Amino acid sequence: VQLQASGGGLVQAGDSLRLSCAASGRTFSNYHMSWFRQAPGKEREFVAAINYSGGSTYYADSVKGRFTISRDNAKNTVYLQMNTLKPEDTAVYYCAADRSGWDIRRINYWGQGTQVTVSS
């Protein structure tokens, strides 16, 4: 699976952004999709995940209630709607795909990352 993330940018605290991740190369609907992020000097961390059908979603506590993950299997795309952004959300955001789930140790496919910067 090839993953292409987009939608990052520089915003102010309280603003919204929507990230997109377009997939190609394999049957998208066979893959669980997830978003991770990595801030400077920190390890990559889980943000959100959605199962292959879109019927189940999971979130890190730090983004619950502010971020929404969704997918459109007809468009081979997964989205991350980010609302009420905070400076601590500043990071490079990566989309990921794997048939096993969203355990960072087992993910086989990663996108290239898109930078999100939130100014205070």
Side-chain angles (χ1 to χ4, degrees):
V1 178
Q2 290 79 46
L3 302 173
Q4 181 72 39
S6 62
L10 172 63
V11 298
Q12 294 186 332
D15 286 351
S16 298
L17 273 177
R18 188 175 81 155
L19 305 183
S20 300
C21 177
S24 61
R26 298 286 179 97
T27 304
F28 179 70
S29 58
N30 286 346
Y31 289 81
H32 304 297
M33 300 297 297
S34 51
W35 288 94
F36 290 76
R37 66 187 182 187
Q38 188 165 18
K42 295 187 176 181
E43 293 187 351
R44 193 170 298 189
E45 64 174 6
F46 171 79
V47 175
I50 188 166
N51 75 335
Y52 68 97
S53 68
S56 297
T57 56
Y58 305 87
Y59 298 93
D61 288 344
S62 59
V63 307
K64 202 171 293 183
R66 299 188 298 121
F67 291 11
T68 302
I69 189 171
S70 62
R71 66 190 295 161
D72 185 337
N73 285 348
K75 295 183 178 180
N76 291 351
T77 303
V78 63
Y79 305 97
L80 185 68
Q81 177 67 44
M82 306 185 294
N83 298 330
T84 319
L85 282 160
K86 304 176 180 180
E88 51 264 44
D89 294 319
T90 295
V92 177
Y93 283 70
Y94 298 90
C95 59
D98 203 273
R99 298 184 70 169
S100 68
W102 39 89
D103 183 334
I104 193 171
R105 299 165 296 182
R106 301 180 63 182
I107 288 174
N108 283 305
Y109 304 102
W110 292 93
Q112 86 288 4
T114 184
Q115 176 71 47
V116 173
T117 304
V118 185
S119 63
S120 57

